[in-house]
Amino acid sequence: MPQTALDLTLDAAELTARLVDFPSPSGSEKDLADAIEAALRGLPHLTVDRLGNNVVARTNLGRAERVVLAGHIDTVPIADNPPNVPSRLDEDGILWGCGTCDMKSGVAVQLRIAQTVTEPNRDLTFVFYDNEEVAAHLNGLGHVAEAHPDWLAGDFAVLLEPTDGQVEGGCQGTLRVLLRTKGVRAHSARAWMGSNAIHAATPILTKLAAYEPRKPVVEGLEFHEGLNAVRIEGGVATNVIPDECTVTVNFRYAPDRSEEEALAFVRDYFADCGVDEFIVDDHTGPARPGLTHPAAAAFMAAVGGEARPKFGWTDVSRFSALGVPAVNFSPGDPLLAHKIDERVKASLIPEAEERLRSWLTS
């Protein structure tokens, strides 16, 4: 059973464990949102607002600059075998559990900063939102941006997505399309009476296998594009020639392309493959690194390390669309995100907290 309250005075690693013990797969974030809201309303230096299961807290100190710290509170589905909730800290100091990496360790850092940094050198906005791990139209940050864009106003944003303690600039866009081929049903004993839609998808798969990823340098960071089949569906019965086949393709593209350019590229790439229907299933754009902004330079100087590109898509894209430059930073390792044995080194969580605190108090 989830805890009924969050103690923000806990060490950041302990707080991460408590957050993991609130099961919050996408669509089931209410208990955790309630606990976060209650904890934040107990902090007199913050103004707290809520929209659905999205909680926004702000300082209003009249500082010259406002920084947004944002993180999603949902996780991928919890595993049953082996179970990855509740959390577990092993003898080597590794914290295991669903969401430890992506991104409850980052959310714990947000909450610790909210609790301890009462007089920051910049005004702060803390955003905790739902449904990041599912389709774009469900994304809580998108809902807040649409209903209350003023809640997200700022000069710079840090998204607490897993980066292994490094700063990752921008993000790649993600486009998902359905490539559908048609055929004619027939009994498999008399296959010549039909036309096999799965066989008709062969040119699509051949083209995908031949794809060479592009690696453009954008504002000094080298990105790595990818074009992959992520699902294939077809077939009626084991003795029927299929009359339809759908190949789902995901294009991860660098932030030097616009959404329109990315879509045009994919259409053109498969133009000679005999596709009967081309359907855009989901599409969210990229974000440029934004590291040239003065606030980003100050952030890099404070937290240290060398900036890297974010290969996956993150909600820095949404901040970019709002005109707020943003980067990714948190203690989680992106290579461990979404794994059944998701984990994070516990000592890295308070370390990330201290690095953020030094930037916000120096």
Side-chain angles (χ1 to χ4, degrees):
M1 293 294 292
Q3 306 295 314
T4 57
L6 287 175
D7 180 359
L8 302 190
T9 67
L10 291 173
D11 167 88
E14 293 180 89
L15 183 55
T16 300
R18 300 291 77 75
L19 292 171
V20 172
D21 293 344
F22 273 88
S24 59
S26 303
S28 302
E29 302 94 334
K30 184 179 184 302
D31 286 344
L32 183 52
D34 289 346
I36 288 173
E37 180 186 12
L40 294 175
R41 289 197 183 279
L43 302 176
H45 63 286
L46 296 176
T47 298
V48 180
D49 293 294
R50 180 163 174 172
L51 176 70
N53 290 325
N54 308 291
V55 182
V56 179
R58 289 166 289 177
T59 65
N60 293 285
L61 302 171
R63 303 293 194 246
E65 190 173 77
R66 177 173 290 277
V67 168
V68 183
L69 302 180
H72 64 82
I73 61 174
D74 64 320
T75 70
V76 294
I78 294 168
D80 294 322
N81 188 25
N84 57 4
V85 169
S87 60
R88 173 175 62 87
L89 182 68
D90 70 17
E91 63 275 10
D92 296 318
I94 305 300
L95 181 65
W96 303 75
C98 185
T100 49
C101 174
D102 188 8
M103 56 180 293
K104 290 185 175 180
S105 55
V107 170
V109 169
Q110 285 178 267
L111 289 169
R112 287 288 298 151
I113 295 294
Q115 198 269 337
T116 60
V117 182
T118 59
E119 292 287 336
N121 54 23
R122 300 160 171 86
D123 266 310
L124 298 178
T125 299
F126 301 91
V127 184
F128 305 88
Y129 61 99
D130 66 355
N131 281 314
E132 190 271 349
E133 299 289 3
V134 288
H137 72 277
L138 298 172
N139 185 293
L141 189 64
H143 294 167
V144 173
E146 182 178 353
H148 299 285
D150 54 304
W151 292 4
L152 303 180
D155 300 286
F156 183 62
V158 179
L159 194 67
L160 278 296
E161 282 283 355
T163 66
D164 202 19
Q166 302 298 311
V167 176
E168 292 186 343
C171 72
Q172 299 200 134
T174 178
L175 167 63
R176 188 169 64 242
V177 298
L178 311 180
L179 306 181
R180 191 162 290 157
T181 54
K182 302 286 188 178
V184 177
R185 288 193 195 187
H187 197 291
S188 59
R190 293 172 289 278
W192 61 88
M193 298 298 293
S195 176
N196 195 309
I198 293 178
H199 294 182
T202 299
I204 297 171
L205 301 178
T206 300
K207 204 72 180 285
L208 284 166
Y211 171 76
E212 292 289 338
R214 178 172 165 266
K215 301 178 183 179
V217 175
V218 183
E219 298 177 15
L221 302 181
E222 184 180 82
F223 288 82
H224 190 135
E225 294 187 333
L227 186 69
N228 291 280
V230 293
R231 181 189 293 268
I232 186 165
E233 299 169 278
V236 180
T238 56
N239 62 347
V240 176
I241 300 302
D243 60 349
E244 186 172 286
C245 178
T246 301
V247 181
T248 302
V249 173
N250 184 211
F251 182 40
R252 299 289 180 139
Y253 60 94
D256 62 338
R257 296 187 196 259
S258 67
E259 292 183 49
E260 293 75 18
E261 289 168 339
L263 181 57
F265 168 77
V266 175
R267 284 189 184 278
D268 182 67
Y269 193 76
F270 295 105
D272 60 352
C273 293
V275 176
D276 291 295
E277 289 184 47
F278 183 106
I279 301 167
V280 176
D281 188 48
D282 195 44
H283 195 181
T284 48
R288 298 184 73 88
L291 295 171
T292 57
H293 191 278
F299 179 70
M300 283 297 305
V303 303
E306 183 176 343
R308 304 185 303 197
K310 170 60 78 174
F311 294 125
W313 181 89
T314 74
D315 278 306
V316 296
S317 172
R318 298 188 190 279
F319 283 107
S320 180
L322 291 169
V324 181
V327 298
N328 307 276
F329 173 78
S330 93
D333 184 342
L335 298 179
L336 300 177
H338 298 179
K339 292 174 66 68
I340 289 178
D341 58 346
E342 195 172 347
R343 59 200 182 275
V344 66
K345 188 174 182 180
S347 64
L348 296 180
I349 307 172
E351 179 183 311
E353 176 195 343
E354 287 305 314
R355 290 163 70 187
L356 270 178
R357 180 180 287 105
S358 70
W359 173 54
L360 295 168
T361 58
S362 60

